């Protein structure tokens, strides 16, 4: 296959800069980040056992109900994040490590003791009424967002080639926040059962699930995705992507959202506005989320274009498909209209993503998996109604 030299150079540069295709190895005893990660998760696990242990037998129905309900709640979140992890996608092992840090270390090792200490400080400074109204919003955005972000920093230490762009920070941050969210929700289920002295434990679990599940749509996963994308802009781990001011403002924005969500009752002031405030805050958060997502994905989209550039020159990937696989939602919608078929468009997009993934894994060389992925894409273009094999 003849390849334009400039296209091949851009492809190899994209593979090197993105780190896509590099393996994730968690067991790194020669790496300080590995031991700090183990310390955090181990410390969080011990705290969790001490917290739940004394009442675990009596409150088993509540705990079991919480684990099952929020385990099911986790499924659509994972499908959503899998959809967004589609450019230079992160390995499952790295994302699992992010989830565990958020759920165990950030929740129980950092947030639980830090929240108690800071709330006590606010009570001493402003009194119990002030602490009740504003304490949560003045506490959680500080220790919880930074506690979750420590996980991102440790994963950079464990996999420096893989965690490079603001989009990487966005996806990894979402998994860290999702872990925090699910484990914290189970904690709320347990606390709710203890406050009712074990009465109607399954009913109590269901009520917490409904309230926390609805609120969770614009909660920790969103806060951490925004915060960690901002942190990656500050760190600037890819050429030309360091934007300190944008990063700092993005991190502050996530903390403000966290503050507003935790102190919503105090912000509402008991007026009629309190009824619409949650919806207004949620709408602003979602707009900000998609704004950050769009800008964070810019570098990833350029990498995808460069990675498939030689395939375009060779006629394997047509320009319309390249625009769709490296573009935004509107580009994929345009491609579906171009083919007059959602199914055909989806199959070709998946095949192009598979080809890009195999090229990255092969470090730009020709291997049997690359050849197979290319053949699959070409087969779909000649017989587009058949599904991927």
């Amino acid at each position: 296959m003849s390849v334009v030299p400039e296209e091949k150079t851009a492809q190899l540069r994209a593979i090197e800069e993105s780190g896509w295709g590099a393996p994730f190895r968690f067991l790194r005893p020669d790496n300080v980040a590995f031991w700090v990660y183990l310390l955090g998760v181990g410390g969080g696990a011990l705290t969790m056992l001490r917290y739940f242990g004394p009442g675990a037998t009596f409150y088993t129905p509540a705990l079991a109900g919480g684990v099952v309900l929020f385990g099911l709640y986790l499924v659509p979140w994972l499908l959503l994040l899998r959809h967004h992890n589609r450019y230079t996608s992160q390995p499952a092992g790295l994302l699992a490590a992010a989830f565990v840090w958020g759920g165990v270390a950030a929740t129980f090792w950092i947030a639980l003791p830090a929240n108690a200490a800071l709330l006590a400080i606010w009570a001493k400074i402003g009194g119990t009424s002030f602490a009740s109204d504003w304490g949560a919003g003045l506490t959680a955005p500080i220790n919880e967002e930074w506690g979750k972000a420590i996980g991102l920093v440790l994963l950079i230490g464990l996999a420096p080639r893989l965690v490079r762009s603001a989009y990487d920070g966005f996806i990894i941050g979402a998994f860290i926040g999702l872990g925090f969210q699910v484990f914290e929700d189970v904690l709320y289920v347990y606390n709710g059962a203890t406050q009712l002295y074990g009465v109607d434990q399954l009913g109590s679990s269901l009520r917490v699930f409904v309230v926390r599940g609805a609120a969770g749509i614009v909660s920790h996963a969103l806060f951490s995705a925004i915060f960690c994308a901002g942190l990656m802009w500050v760190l600037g781990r890819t050429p030309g992507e360091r934007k300190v001011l944008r990063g700092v403002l993005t991190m502050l924005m996530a903390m403000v959202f966290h503050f507003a969500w935790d102190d919503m009752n105090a912000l509402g002031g008991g007026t009629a506005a309190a009824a619409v405030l949650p919806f207004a805050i949620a709408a602003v958060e979602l707009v900000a989320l998609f704004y950050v997502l769009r800008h964070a994905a810019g570098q990833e989209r350029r990498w995808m274009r460069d990675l498939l550039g030689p395939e375009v020159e060779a006629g394997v990937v047509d320009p319309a498909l390249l625009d769709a696989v490296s573009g935004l939602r509107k580009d994929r919608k345009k491609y579906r209209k171009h083919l007059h078929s959602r199914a055909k468009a989806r199959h070709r997009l998946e095949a192009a993503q598979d080809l890009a993934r195999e090229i990255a894994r092969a470090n730009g060389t020709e291997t049997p998996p690359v050849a197979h992925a290319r053949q699959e894409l070409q087969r779909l273009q000649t017989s587009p109604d058949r599904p991927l094999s």
Side-chain angles (χ1 to χ4, degrees):
M1 180 185 298
S2 62
V3 177
V4 178
E6 293 81 357
E7 298 291 335
K8 189 64 179 179
T9 299
Q11 181 191 73
L12 295 176
R13 183 173 61 248
I15 294 172
E16 175 60 30
E17 289 180 358
S18 69
W20 196 16
F24 173 67
R25 187 161 60 93
F26 175 73
L27 294 175
R28 298 282 303 277
D30 59 329
N31 192 317
V32 175
F34 170 75
W35 295 106
V36 176
Y37 181 94
L38 287 187
L39 174 65
V41 172
L46 288 175
T47 303
M48 185 165 53
L49 289 173
R50 284 197 293 265
Y51 194 93
F52 293 127
T57 302
F58 184 72
Y59 295 108
T60 296
L63 279 172
V67 170
V68 171
L69 287 171
F70 284 104
L72 293 173
Y73 178 73
L74 187 61
V75 174
W77 274 102
L78 293 177
L79 292 175
L80 175 66
L81 292 175
R82 178 180 178 273
H83 169 72
H84 282 290
N85 185 33
R86 65 174 178 268
Y87 294 116
T88 57
S89 57
Q90 294 293 340
L94 187 148
L95 297 177
F99 181 88
V100 171
W101 176 269
V104 180
T107 306
F108 290 94
W109 189 53
I110 297 174
L112 195 62
N115 282 346
L118 282 172
L119 286 172
I121 292 173
W122 296 126
K124 290 179 181 178
I125 293 174
T128 55
S129 178
F130 174 82
S132 176
D133 288 341
W134 302 103
L138 294 173
T139 299
I142 299 172
N143 70 74
E144 291 181 5
E145 292 312 316
W146 282 105
K148 289 180 286 184
I150 289 172
L152 174 64
V153 173
L154 292 175
L155 290 174
I156 291 173
L158 279 171
R161 283 205 63 204
L162 286 168
V163 189
R164 304 296 294 271
S165 69
Y167 195 80
D168 292 336
F170 185 94
I171 295 295
I172 294 169
F175 272 90
I176 294 173
L178 185 60
F180 191 104
Q181 187 171 311
V182 169
F183 277 72
E184 184 186 55
D185 287 340
V186 173
L187 183 63
Y188 270 83
V189 167
Y190 179 82
N191 289 341
T194 60
Q195 290 168 4
L196 295 174
Y197 304 102
V199 177
D200 189 23
Q201 293 188 37
L202 292 178
S204 173
S205 300
L206 185 59
R207 287 190 292 273
V208 173
F209 170 74
V210 171
V211 174
R212 297 287 300 180
I217 296 172
V218 284
S219 185
H220 285 286
L222 180 148
F223 302 150
S224 294
I226 294 175
F227 190 92
C228 289
L231 180 57
M232 291 301 290
W233 272 319
V234 172
L235 296 176
R237 291 184 45 76
T238 63
E241 205 186 36
R242 189 177 192 196
K243 297 177 176 63
V244 176
L245 180 60
R246 175 192 285 182
V248 170
L249 291 176
T250 302
M251 294 163 69
L252 288 174
M253 179 170 63
M255 295 173 73
V256 169
F257 287 157
H258 199 156
F259 163 81
W261 200 251
D262 281 358
D263 281 349
M264 199 176 304
N265 291 333
L267 290 171
T271 64
V276 299
L277 192 59
F279 300 99
I281 293 174
V284 173
E285 288 182 3
L286 289 173
V287 170
L289 176 75
F290 287 112
Y291 177 85
V292 172
L293 174 62
R294 182 188 181 102
H295 285 273
Q299 180 62 68
E300 297 277 330
R301 296 198 301 270
R302 286 189 288 273
W303 281 334
M304 180 66 83
R305 293 190 70 88
D306 288 344
L307 207 146
L308 289 175
E311 302 298 324
V312 175
E313 292 297 320
V316 176
V317 176
D318 63 78
L321 177 55
L322 180 65
D323 290 340
V325 77
S326 65
L328 301 168
R329 183 175 179 271
K330 63 180 179 65
D331 299 302
R332 293 187 293 278
K333 185 177 180 180
K334 180 180 177 182
Y335 187 64
R336 287 195 296 268
K337 289 183 177 180
H338 172 68
L339 293 182
H340 306 291
S341 171
R342 179 181 293 270
K344 292 177 183 178
R346 184 179 72 253
H347 291 154
R348 292 188 187 184
L349 285 167
E350 290 174 354
Q353 289 167 348
D354 289 343
L355 176 57
R357 185 181 304 111
E358 293 302 337
I359 290 171
R361 286 174 177 170
N363 201 28
T365 62
E366 189 66 20
T367 64
V370 171
H372 176 72
R374 187 180 294 116
Q375 290 167 3
E376 282 292 289
L377 178 57
Q378 292 173 323
R379 179 181 67 81
L380 283 170
Q381 293 179 108
T382 56
S383 54
D385 292 325
R386 293 175 58 191
L388 287 169
S389 63

